[in-house]
Amino acid sequence: APRVRSSHRAMDNIVYSTISVKETDHLDIQPQGSKQAEAFVNAFLKHRLPRLGAEQIQERLNRKAVILEHFLKKRKKEKRRKTKCLSAKERRELRIFELKPEQQRYELFLPLHDLWKQYIRDLCNGLKPDMQTQMIQTKLLKADFHGAIVTVTKSKCPSYVGVTGIILQEMKHIFKIITEENKLKVIPKQNSVFSVEIDGFVSYIYGSKFQLRASERSAKKFKGKGSIDL
């Protein structure tokens, strides 16, 4: 133990020994005891430790580590700019949802129909003959019909009856469908009944009770009767 203490004292003597003038010149630093260096240290500590007096600072300098105070500047919270969506009028003016004549081809949308069939199968956990029709009915009421092949079975307008095609766009009051003859038809939901067939299951949709956007329909509670039949 005495040897350990003596070695610590020797190390302290080396660490806290005065730096010679030759060494200060070589290191390009102010010599210890210099009034200029002392004034700089005192000014620096007074600036960094404004809450302490001169005597308290000197006490802390007695071979002790000094923790300098650091004042953080409060950052102003930047307001997030909300992205402005296009209005319905702006969308109409830009013709975002309009199909060019060369794009109005039935065969182009058959892959979309295949995706829709797989989407419904996944939604219903596989369409099997022994499945309860009530469960399928509930799922279809909230499903997205973009890509479905529908047929108008009843309508107040006789010219709509029998029209069959792939749904390209569903709005609140209409279905836009493309027929096998490459004709784009706009069918109103009001006073129309549509049939949808997938894997042997035929569904009948009453358009008058179905006048919602696809996004709104997913969160709405429907009464089964008068909306869709299987």
Side-chain angles (χ1 to χ4, degrees):
R3 288 182 180 178
V4 174
R5 288 178 183 173
S6 62
S7 63
H8 278 303
R9 287 174 185 172
M11 184 62 70
D12 287 346
N13 290 334
I14 295 171
V15 172
Y16 294 108
S17 62
T18 304
I19 300 174
S20 65
V21 177
K22 185 179 178 180
E23 289 172 331
T24 56
D25 291 340
H26 178 71
L27 297 172
D28 193 22
I29 60 174
Q30 291 288 334
Q32 285 177 297
S34 167
K35 290 184 179 180
Q36 187 179 355
E38 186 179 352
F40 170 79
V41 171
N42 290 334
F44 176 78
L45 292 173
K46 188 176 181 182
H47 175 71
R48 300 308 302 177
L49 301 169
R51 300 176 186 177
L52 300 179
E55 293 181 1
Q56 291 174 309
I57 292 174
Q58 289 300 324
E59 287 178 7
R60 290 201 177 189
L61 287 176
N62 188 20
R63 296 188 181 183
K64 294 180 181 178
V66 178
I67 300 174
L68 301 177
E69 295 185 11
H70 178 61
F71 298 97
L72 292 172
K73 293 182 179 180
K74 291 183 178 180
R75 293 182 179 180
K76 294 181 179 180
K77 292 183 178 179
E78 295 182 0
K79 293 182 179 180
R80 292 183 179 179
R81 294 181 179 179
K82 294 182 178 179
T83 54
K84 188 179 178 182
C85 299
L86 294 174
S87 65
K89 183 180 178 182
E90 289 171 335
R91 289 197 295 269
R92 285 193 298 270
E93 289 175 350
L94 293 172
R95 298 182 176 181
I96 291 174
F97 299 117
E98 288 189 17
L99 283 176
K100 295 178 181 178
E102 60 270 20
Q103 295 172 334
Q104 296 178 17
R105 291 166 55 195
Y106 183 82
E107 61 182 17
L108 290 178
F109 299 97
L110 287 173
L112 177 64
H113 175 60
D114 292 334
L115 287 173
W116 180 83
K117 288 193 293 185
Q118 189 57 50
Y119 155 67
I120 295 299
R121 291 184 189 115
D122 293 342
L123 188 67
C124 299
N125 299 317
L127 290 169
K128 299 176 183 178
D130 58 345
M131 290 186 71
Q132 293 183 356
T133 55
Q134 185 65 34
M135 187 275 288
I136 301 173
Q137 178 187 29
T138 304
K139 296 283 187 182
L140 286 174
L141 281 170
K142 297 177 179 291
D144 192 310
F145 279 86
H146 291 90
I149 293 179
V150 297
T151 300
V152 183
T153 55
K154 292 181 182 179
S155 177
K156 275 196 171 182
C157 182
S159 62
Y160 291 143
V161 178
V163 174
T164 302
I166 300 172
I167 294 178
L168 301 185
Q169 190 177 0
E170 180 186 358
M171 296 185 179
K172 187 173 182 179
H173 301 291
I174 63 165
F175 283 128
K176 278 188 181 181
I177 66 174
I178 185 82
T179 68
E180 290 186 7
E181 293 78 25
N182 299 326
K183 292 182 179 179
L184 190 65
K185 299 280 187 179
V186 178
I187 311 294
K189 294 179 181 179
Q190 183 73 26
N191 301 319
S192 295
V193 179
F194 305 87
S195 67
V196 184
E197 188 274 330
I198 177 172
D199 294 349
F201 289 91
V202 180
S203 310
Y204 293 94
I205 302 168
Y206 291 82
S208 299
K209 303 289 185 178
F210 219 63
Q211 297 190 78
L212 293 164
R213 296 179 181 88
S215 57
E216 296 172 346
R217 197 172 62 245
S218 62
K220 182 176 173 61
K221 290 183 179 180
F222 284 92
K223 293 180 181 179
K225 191 175 181 181
S227 296
I228 184 169
D229 277 348
L230 288 171

